[in-house]
């Protein structure tokens, strides 16, 4: 079952090159989207065992990002039918310079689109670092022809920039794999995630730090973190709108998952603080760079591209802060993907109607394209984190976690950069929506239904989070934090010998569970003087996992010789 999420789109993508009828290829893409979504839903209900000796496996973070990818592809495939009908065949006049050009053959577009889904799915199920690297590189090769769908010099330049900068980044990530293998040489065995986490204590810290730096720069290039983001604005701007939605909402998440895998290993090896402080720095830098370029941006698709850089910075910042902010980052990954895909779909409708990407040349969208105009305003409020949309909830969660962690300067910088982006996007969006109109134009349901559905979902995620969805997000965040299973008793990670340690466990209250509330989380402070003392305490802490909830606090009190200070700091 787990291999089906890769094999189904891969087989269909290859078949699309041989199919001659445009209509059949278009609806084949929709069928693949439905089949992929069905298999993904099945994996939620009935998880499957790892395949290929553990190289292919699906944990909670992988399942979360696979689900995002599947949902976005299904919506993009439906939108794509209307988009390709609207594009038609033959020569077209360029909207910017006026020359004539032709689009790529539809069989190339449809085939590469489904292969793109297959490679992104492979990223989410790869538990071997080498296979993960191959899958990320494969996403580049599958998506490059999609960026060059409009065959003119600007899209060619964007494609070459994407390939060149992406290849440099992936080469740095390959170097990270080499460093990781050297760091793990004492443990031996393949570079499987679970094995590396279990044997992380024996890794060489210097080589592991070098590996993480390479992964952060390499996969960070693909993720669009500043200052490695320079390929992203051109690629998102010149791509067809449905491709831009997948690049921003799905591909960037795949690169982010590669970074999360390396964070998991660093946490287990005691280098979590090293990794997370770097993520905080890159997160704030990405938000700052995006904010500067969004100010007075004349191209609305390019503005959306820089917005993606900002939101990737928010994801990195959330994981860097850790704790509840990691949960916020998982939630924000969902919110951003849904909202940004909606905005790129709408931008494609505006571009088709007005034949320009210049913000100043677009006026009266609400009157000309009523559905797209309203969605454009809704998307602006959602992408800038305004209540009551889901992005507000996830961004607020990260902010609160930063304040709770005593990182006031990070919280202040975070708020200031969010405000900068809001100010930069407000005037162009509002001016485009308002103003006079030359008359109302018809909008096909195929290009309106997907963004309407995503707008409703973005609003729903801000008003109500289903209990099972919260559990899935919490599970993904817990695994990124190095905590597995429920209830959880995690030995304190040795990366913070210069700080107090924490051990967490969950008390699942029947009433809280029944109403979908979050479990009560108790944290107990551990004052561990050195690693030997920590090693002595660890077996006792793990024994708590097998005891009833009411006995755990008593057991911790009994072992006060190993835990000199403890108190409940919140629930």
């Amino acid at each position: 079952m787990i291999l089906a999420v890769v094999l189904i789109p891969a087989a269909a993508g290859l078949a699309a090159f041989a199919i001659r009828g445009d209509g059949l290829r278009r609806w084949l893409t929709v069928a693949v989207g439905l089949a992929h979504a069905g298999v993904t839903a099945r994996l939620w209900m009935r998880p499957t065992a790892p395949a290929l000796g553990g190289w292919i496996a699906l944990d909670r973070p992988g399942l979360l990002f696979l689900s995002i990818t599947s949902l976005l592809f299904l919506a993009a495939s439906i939108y794509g039918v209307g988009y390709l009908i609207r594009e038609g065949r033959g020569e077209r006049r360029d909207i910017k310079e006026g020359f004539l050009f032709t689009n790529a053959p539809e069989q190339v577009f449809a085939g590469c689109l489904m292969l793109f889904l297959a490679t992104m799915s492979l990223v989410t199920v790869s538990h071997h670092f080498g296979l993960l690297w191959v899958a990320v590189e494969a996403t580049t090769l599958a998506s490059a022809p999609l960026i060059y769908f409009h065959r003119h010099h600007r899209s060619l330049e964007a494609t070459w920039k994407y390939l060149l900068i992406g290849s440099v980044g992936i080469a740095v990530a390959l170097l990270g794999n080499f460093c990781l293998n050297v760091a793990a040489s004492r443990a031996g065995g393949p570079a499987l995630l679970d094995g590396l986490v279990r044997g992380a204590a024996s890794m060489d810290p210097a080589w592991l730090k070098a590996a993480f730096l390479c992964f952060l720069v390499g996969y960070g290039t693909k993720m669009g973190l500043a200052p490695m983001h320079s390929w992203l604005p051109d690629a998102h701007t010149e791509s067809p709108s449905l491709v831009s939605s997948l690049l921003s909402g799905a591909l960037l998440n795949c690169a982010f998952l590669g970074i999360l895998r390396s964070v998991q290993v660093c946490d287990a090896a005691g280098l979590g603080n090293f990794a997370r402080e770097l993520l905080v720095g890159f997160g704030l830098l990405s938000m700052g760079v995006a904010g500067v370029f969004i100010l007075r941006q004349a191209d609305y698709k390019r503005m959306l591209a820089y917005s993606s850089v900002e939101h990737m910075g928010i994801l990195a910042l959330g994981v860097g802060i850790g704790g509840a902010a990691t949960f916020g980052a998982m939630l924000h990954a969902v919110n951003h993907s849904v909202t940004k895909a909606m905005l790129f779909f709408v931008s494609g409708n505006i571009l088709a109607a007005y034949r320009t990407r210049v913000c100043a040349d677009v006026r009266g969208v609400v009157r000309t394209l009523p559905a797209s105009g309203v969605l454009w305003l809704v998307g602006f409020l959602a992408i800038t984190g305004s209540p009551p949309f889901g992005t507000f909830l996830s961004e607020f969660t990260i902010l609160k976690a930063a304040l709770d962690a005593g990182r006031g300067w990070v919280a202040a910088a975070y708020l200031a950069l969010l405000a900068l982006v809001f100010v930069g996007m407000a005037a162009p969006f509002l001016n485009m929506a308002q103003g006079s109109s030359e008359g109302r134009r018809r909008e096909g349901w195929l290009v309106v239904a997907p963004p309407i559905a995503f707008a409703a979902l973005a609003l729903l995620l801000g008003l109500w989070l289903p209990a099972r969805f919260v559990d899935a997000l919490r599970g993904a965040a817990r695994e990124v934090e190095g905590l597995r299973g429920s209830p959880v008793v995690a030995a304190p990670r040795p990366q913070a010998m210069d700080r107090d340690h924490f051990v967490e466990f969950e008390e699942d209250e029947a009433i809280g569970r029944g109403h979908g509330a979050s479990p009560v989380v108790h944290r107990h402070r551990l004052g561990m003087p050195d690693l030997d003392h920590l090693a002595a305490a660890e077996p006792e802490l793990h024994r708590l996992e097998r005891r009833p909830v009411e006995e755990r606090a008593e057991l911790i009190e009994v072992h006060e010789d190993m835990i000199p200070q403890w108190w409940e700091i919140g629930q």
Side-chain angles (χ1 to χ4, degrees), residues 189-527:
L192 293 173
L193 176 63
D194 290 341
L196 291 173
V197 168
R198 286 194 300 268
S202 62
M203 287 187 179
D204 186 308
W207 281 104
L208 185 55
K209 286 182 179 180
F212 179 77
L213 284 171
C214 291
F215 285 135
L216 180 59
V217 173
Y219 292 138
T221 301
K222 191 80 171 181
M223 183 181 169
L225 291 178
M228 300 88 68
H229 69 286
S230 55
W231 66 270
L232 190 149
D234 288 341
H236 285 56
T237 302
E238 298 300 335
S239 299
S241 296
L242 73 151
V243 176
S244 300
S245 70
L246 291 174
L247 290 175
S248 183
L251 178 63
L252 303 187
N253 287 341
C254 290
F256 180 48
L257 183 60
I259 295 175
L260 292 182
R261 299 304 191 198
S262 58
V263 170
Q264 289 178 267
V265 177
C266 287
D267 266 340
L271 298 176
N273 282 352
F274 167 79
R276 293 177 188 279
E277 290 303 320
L278 285 172
L279 286 173
V280 169
F282 274 95
L284 290 176
L285 177 62
S286 298
M287 293 180 68
V289 169
V292 170
F293 280 98
I294 285 174
L295 286 174
R296 305 184 67 82
Q297 179 59 243
D299 187 319
Y300 54 86
K301 282 195 72 176
R302 201 171 187 86
M303 182 184 299
L304 295 179
Y306 280 113
S307 172
S308 295
V309 176
E310 177 219 357
H311 286 276
M312 291 304 104
I314 293 175
L315 295 184
L317 178 64
V319 175
I321 294 171
T326 303
F327 173 89
M330 298 300 104
L331 177 58
H332 195 71
V334 179
N335 288 324
H336 169 256
S337 296
V338 168
T339 306
K340 189 56 62 64
M342 175 194 68
L343 281 170
F344 272 119
F345 290 155
V346 176
S347 73
N349 297 343
I350 295 174
L351 180 60
Y354 286 85
R355 305 290 298 165
T356 180
R357 293 198 308 259
V358 179
C359 297
D361 294 340
V362 178
R363 290 291 183 270
V365 177
V366 172
R367 292 184 175 89
T368 304
L369 305 169
S372 294
V374 172
L375 289 170
W376 190 244
L377 291 175
V378 169
F380 158 69
L381 294 174
I383 204 63
T384 53
S386 304
F389 295 96
T391 47
F392 170 78
L393 182 60
S394 54
E395 289 178 1
F396 183 80
T397 301
I398 295 172
L399 173 64
K400 185 177 184 301
L403 293 172
D404 290 344
R407 310 191 72 163
W409 72 269
V410 172
Y414 175 58
L415 277 177
L417 293 173
L418 288 177
L420 177 66
V421 171
F422 182 90
V423 171
M425 298 184 75
F429 270 77
L430 296 177
N431 289 336
M432 289 172 63
Q434 302 175 77
S436 59
S437 169
E438 296 179 358
R440 182 171 175 174
R441 300 191 185 186
R442 181 177 175 274
E443 299 178 84
W445 72 269
L446 287 170
V447 296
V448 171
I452 288 177
F454 277 176
L457 183 55
L459 179 60
L460 179 65
L461 290 173
L463 298 175
W464 175 67
L465 295 178
R468 185 164 184 179
F469 178 61
V470 173
D471 287 341
L473 294 173
R474 186 185 297 116
R478 185 185 295 126
E479 292 196 15
V480 171
E481 291 286 311
L483 309 174
R484 295 172 181 266
S486 179
V488 176
V489 177
R493 292 186 288 270
Q495 78 266 21
M497 286 300 107
D498 56 331
R499 299 184 181 183
D500 294 328
H501 293 277
F502 294 89
V503 65
E504 296 188 3
F505 63 83
E506 287 187 357
E507 177 184 333
D508 295 336
E509 296 186 330
I511 296 178
R513 282 294 190 185
H515 291 83
S518 301
V520 177
V521 178
H522 300 275
R523 288 185 176 93
H524 297 276
R525 189 179 298 268
L526 308 178

Side-chain angles (χ1 to χ4, degrees), residues 12 54-55 82 98-99 123 165 227-228 249 253 353-354 413 422 529 544 558:
W55 285 47
F99 56 80
V123 171
I165 298 176
M228 300 88 68
N253 287 341
Y354 286 85
F422 182 90
L544 297 175
V558 168

